[in-house]
Amino acid sequence: MLNRFFQNIKRQEWYKQQIEHIEEIPAREPRYGKLDKPLPNILQNYLDREGIKLYSHQADAINSIRRGKNVIITTPTASGKTIAFNIPVFEALLKDNDATALYIYPTKALTNDQLHVLRTMERRMGIRPISNVYDGDTPQRARQRIRRTSRIILSNPYGLHQYLPWHHKWKSFFQHLKFIIIDEAHMYRGVFGSNVAMLVRRILRICEYYGSNPQFILSSATIANPEEHSRKLTGRDFEVISNDGSIRERKFFVFWNPPFVDSVKMVRRSPHQETKNLFVFHIKNGLQTICFTVSRQMAELITRWSRDELGNVRDRITTYRAGYLPEERREIERRLRTRELLGVVSTNALELGIDIGSLDAVIISGYPGTIISTWQQAGRAGRGYRDSLVTLIAFENPLDQYFMKHPDEFFGRPHEYAIIDLENPYIVMGHLMCASAELPVKEDDKKYFNLFEESVMALERQNMVRKTPNGWVYSGIARPVDIVNLNNISDKIVTIISDGKVLETMDLPKAYDEAHRGAVLLHQGETYLVEDLDLENLTARAVRRDISYYTEPRKTVDIRIINTEVHQKKRKGIDIEVGEVEVTEWYHSYVLRTCDRVIGKQSLDLPPLNFQTVGVWFTIPGDIEEKVRERGLDLEGGIHAIEHAMIAMTPLYAMCDRWDVGGISSPMHVDTQRPTIFIYDSYEGGVGISERIYDLFESLLRVTLRLIQDCGCDEGCPSCIYSPKCGNENRPLSKEAAIFILREIIDKIKLD
Amino acid sequence: MLDHIAKRLKDKAKWVREYEVIETEDGDMEMEGAVMPRYICASEYERAMRLKEQLLREYQDKSLEEVVPGETISNDRGACYYIQHKHDVSIQKADLEKSRQVICSNLKLIYGIGEVRERELKQQGYNTIYDLMRHPRWRDEAGKFLEAFESRDTRTLQDLLWRWFPRSDPLLLYLAGIHDKNDFIIFDIETMGLFGRPIILLGIARQKKERINTHQYLLRDIPDEPGALWEFISHLEENTALITFNGRSFDIPYVEERLGFYGLNASIERPHFDVLHFARRAFRGRVPDCRLVTLERYLFGIERKDDVPSTLVPEFYETYLKTRNPGLLIPIIEHNRQDLITLSRLFSRLYDVLEDA
């Protein structure tokens, strides 16, 4: 069936050799496993009635969990992870009538989805419902009953963060807590993950107080370091279950590169245009398809554009993203399962385990930034015993283009590391402060928190905690859980108002990007024009308008070094340092774009955004600078190009999205007094990315050089040194100088 | 570095403080039904800040004992500062017979009897729940109810009443009649904010002979909190009934949270009369809002002088901790004491209003 589809596609007049590569991933027979000891009848009967025969990884997981081990299951999407932990949890809860379990999901949508799964299971086993969701949407009057009577509570980290100070109301739940299930554990990485790791320690501290010691079950997408990740997230040792025994059908993975539009092969056709074309083609050919985009804006736009070409099936595609009402989302999920919907354009919101069934095809519009996400998204394709199709559409940026030129690099590449930083003092101290409002903090709590003594002392010096005979007690004037945010250390929230109603809310940096005066905001397929962003009251006013363009802000960034105490190394005259920096972002203008070109530019008048973070930087030694000048090369263009290309390659080395790091290069930086290239964490306080770059600095330099010199272009192109997020419109850039400088630096390091 | 981070957390705490100063004319605020206002008007804020400056000057280098007469007391859980006063105020409430008369003539309190059936029963001559003891069908239920009444089981009766009536219903106020005056503990706390932080002052008022006594337990510093909580707990007896203003949502859960925080094993679950609910119903439309200070101004003509608004108590206490200037405690203690007195008068006034109606 797919053969005909490929033949068909190549006959289209718009087909211009876009297919760079087709990888065939062969089908695989299922492997089944055996339990060490039989299940109680009620559970075995349930499995038999459902026709479930346990795959080897499911049996392994159940065996380990029943032996009391902490387990992390890292098999792919749709391999049946949920049943592997629900079976032993129900077994334990049916045996011990007091036992309870806490299920933690990263989003409310997933929580509701999984409640449905658990309720169905309870019904089919013929037991009374014992599961409930407890989150911000839970009505006040139902809360006490759920806390007191539910045996399984499903919640999310943001909610738990708020509920922990009320632990005395949860006493009996915590007292009997036997399992903590953390689903989608790979989501808890970077800043967010480090915060959740601290939250888990706060939960464990409360469990200890009430005398329980829960067993952990984690499930995760495939990551490079499941054992380390689970240990860092929870502080416990784990068994890793990764040997997938589930059945797999044949899958074709296509690399699709938009064609050049000019004869000199400088500019490719818009990837959004290509995405829309291919998506429409899929739908017209009867392939039920999910199309993943990199932004909410683009998800909305691709749906709009596609509808214009889909005639009588225009209403059988839709957009899906965070920000929609739960009922709307559930309706979309249902219509996908029943195939009423032929296609959906989604942000990564559908990357997680929401049950929408499996589809015929997946289009990934732009490399999502991590191998993990790419495979999670690809896992949505594959129905029954039929072949399935995944297409990755490349953007013009260096990283996407790199994969197009080196598909083996993609398929051979290990999944990323999940970074959790247990020693980030910003994060640790915040949660220690929260803990001091939950139970008095004692010496013994240093087993939960690194940097314990110095952090407590610092909090005490600021009168945020007070030493008492019972321990350190929180004594600040605001609720600590309101001071500490889990996923975004800068926490000014802007409310977008249209026609007197709240349209949506977003944090301040996002509002600078999407809700400045003149910005076009998309919401549920409608376009809104932002008339005003009021920074004092943190509100933006938007009006509903039909607008055919969309907007992108332009900004410049300054950086200053605050201290260099973190790390420093010197290699034959190459100074590489990691330290605290302050970044100032100036949003000076924005451009108006249609799907394939820029149609205008407007200036902006916004105060700069400041934040402190951790950065890594290196200077160009005098002798290399000299040689560059002697050869008449452009030094400034060279270091600017290196900065772009390095940032583009950073996601390969650190668990981050390219948008998680920023960069600045200066031919004469005020603090170093040398030509300097900075790369820094885009999060206040730092997330550990810069430190990682520092550790892997030489490999990163080499792969950056390869990217630039292997690129077929003459003077630089979007595939190597052009950055899609450059605030200087990619000027100046010099490919030749970049290659020369990189070679010189690498030679110098080699000699070391 | 670490101090820098701790400082940042502290600055952020100021930023997320739970009230905002808004520019408006005094008394011109839209606060219908507001109890814990999130806003404080600029003039009130400035007045409080002036008071703070004045107190800081006046009581510099004075000791707590000099400024606030009282004594340090201690118990198993710690110590705290104790302040006692007598006031020529007395709690008024329905007496037992009156309560019996009003409550027991409401047949709807019997499970299974609604409007229509009550009317029918009354036409047949069953006027009170006592009469129902003669009714073949309702005898058992009536018996259970009367048993609760006779044994003065307020909790059970409250549950029965809540099944049919809103929490503000006057019938619930008549329940107070089955208690003795000295069963009541009028109760009000001052805190570092809205939950999750220490309670800095626990105040109670109790009837003794024809007067009420106020007992206030103050934290000289944060370590005193368990001791002060324990003093409060030691007032609770089996027959105690609590009277609060918004205690259902604030004072009671707050104390429970703090007991949980310190692992103090004590239950404060007692019959509870939350005056806010009754006051809202009785005075709605006659007062601009239902804050205690507003009610006392309209009902009793009291204008507080040198008062600290509730929302600024945490800031005053924080400054006290920093400067150790006991002057800053004066308005907090007086504010709390005035709240207790007003609360007891309000409780009594509600009963008068009922009787007049």
Side-chain angles (χ1 to χ4, degrees), chain A residues 165-168 209 425-426 429 436-440 454 458 461-462 464 466-470 473-479 482-483 489 491-492 580 612 684, chain B residues 1-10 12-13 15-16 18 192 194-198 221-223 226 253 256-258 260-263 314 318 321-322 324:
Chain A
W166 297 100
H167 58 82
H168 69 277
Y209 175 72
Y426 290 85
M429 202 185 291
S436 75
E438 286 152 8
L439 292 167
E454 47 282 42
R461 279 193 293 273
Q462 295 296 330
M464 295 302 278
R466 230 154 163 101
K467 195 172 168 105
T468 79
N470 293 289
V473 173
Y474 177 71
S475 59
I477 57 169
R479 259 162 54 100
D482 293 336
I483 303 174
I489 296 184
D491 53 7
K492 293 191 176 176
E580 271 189 276
Q612 286 187 13
E684 183 128 38
Chain B
M1 167 82 171
L2 289 163
D3 281 303
H4 162 76
I5 297 170
K7 174 82 172 29
R8 240 183 39 169
L9 291 170
K10 190 191 180 84
K12 241 165 142 185
W15 196 79
V16 299
E18 282 140 345
M192 294 281 277
L194 301 182
F195 300 108
R197 281 143 286 170
D221 197 347
I222 307 298
E256 283 173 344
E257 189 212 286
R258 299 312 289 173
F261 179 82
Y262 290 109
E318 211 203 10
L321 286 180
K322 207 157 57 194
R324 291 286 151 184

Side-chain angles (χ1 to χ4, degrees), chain B residues 39-54:
Chain B
Y39 296 96
I40 170 169
C41 51
S43 58
E44 204 179 350
Y45 181 78
E46 276 158 23
R47 203 160 48 230
M49 288 303 124
R50 275 200 304 275
L51 171 65
K52 189 168 150 184
E53 292 310 316
Q54 182 199 326

Side-chain angles (χ1 to χ4, degrees), chain A residues 313-420:
Chain A
V313 292
R314 55 173 291 126
D315 293 328
R316 293 184 66 187
I317 64 163
T318 190
T319 317
Y320 185 102
R321 66 166 172 90
Y324 283 10
L325 299 173
E327 309 84 78
E328 289 174 317
R329 281 206 303 255
R330 247 165 281 165
E331 179 63 6
I332 296 171
E333 293 154 18
R334 188 192 60 77
R335 291 174 68 210
L336 276 168
R337 284 194 296 268
T338 59
R339 281 182 93 92
E340 277 168 65
L341 281 177
L342 296 173
V344 62
V345 189
S346 174
T347 58
N348 58 7
L350 273 181
E351 191 181 304
L352 301 174
I354 302 270
D355 178 21
I356 50 166
S358 293
L359 289 84
D360 300 317
V362 167
I363 296 172
I364 303 172
S365 180
Y367 176 61
T370 60
I371 301 277
I372 295 174
S373 285
T374 314
W375 285 110
Q376 285 277 102
Q377 296 181 359
R380 283 299 192 180
R383 185 191 294 280
Y385 290 83
R386 268 160 48 193
D387 294 349
S388 65
L389 174 65
V390 178
T391 307
L392 172 66
I393 296 179
F395 282 17
E396 288 206 3
N397 64 64
L399 191 53
D400 287 31
Q401 290 303 318
Y402 184 81
F403 283 139
M404 289 294 132
K405 295 283 176 302
H406 308 94
D408 50 318
E409 279 275 338
F410 175 84
F411 291 100
R413 181 163 290 280
H415 291 237
E416 292 85 356
Y417 284 86
I419 297 179
I420 281 186

